[in-house]
Amino acid sequence: QVQLVESGGGFVQAGGSLRLSCAASGRTFSNNAMGWFRQAPGKEREFVAIYWSGGRTYYADSVKGRFTISRDNAKNTVFLQMNSLKPEDTAVYYCAATERGFGGRRMNEYDYWGQGTQVTVSS
């Protein structure tokens, strides 16, 4: 049974940093794309970042230059380093993985999802 478990969320003031982790179990994802989405209250879930199996990374424009996605294949874990956080970054952050080595911004491209971790940024 595949599981993605996020951790690292919390409460932080604007300008602060958080590092999210997503640990996968049940299979290895070293040859698969893994990414992050987020969902703010009253809004649709949106793409944040993705790490392709070949090492390419892509970001939403809203987080480019502030967030960095990385992964440790030995630990089957993907990370999201979030710096210069803004109140509009407040959301539940979800980890996702695909059956392919690449993926995009659409939720239906992803086959596995975590339960989410709350990030709250105060002004």
Side-chain angles (χ1 to χ4, degrees):
Q1 181 180 355
V2 174
Q3 279 193 316
L4 302 179
V5 179
E6 303 96 335
S7 61
F11 185 93
V12 65
Q13 291 188 329
S17 298
L18 284 174
R19 188 190 194 212
L20 306 184
S21 300
C22 171
S25 62
R27 58 166 286 181
T28 58
F29 285 94
S30 57
N31 294 319
N32 304 82
M34 297 185 73
W36 291 92
F37 283 71
R38 68 185 182 185
Q39 187 166 16
K43 295 187 177 181
E44 293 186 352
R45 195 170 299 188
E46 64 176 6
F47 169 80
V48 175
I50 186 171
Y51 196 114
W52 286 12
S53 63
R56 288 187 178 184
T57 58
Y58 295 93
Y59 298 91
D61 288 343
S62 58
V63 306
K64 202 173 295 182
R66 299 188 298 121
F67 290 11
T68 302
I69 188 171
S70 61
R71 64 193 293 171
D72 183 337
N73 287 334
K75 296 182 178 180
N76 218 19
T77 300
V78 65
F79 305 96
L80 186 68
Q81 177 66 43
M82 306 185 296
N83 298 329
S84 302
L85 282 162
K86 305 175 181 180
E88 51 263 44
D89 295 318
T90 295
V92 177
Y93 283 71
Y94 296 90
C95 175
T98 79
E99 287 286 2
R100 298 162 297 279
F102 57 91
R105 300 170 181 268
R106 297 176 298 180
M107 288 180 56
N108 62 8
E109 297 182 71
Y110 296 80
D111 303 285
Y112 306 98
W113 291 87
Q115 293 300 306
T117 184
Q118 176 71 47
V119 170
T120 303
V121 185
S122 67
S123 57

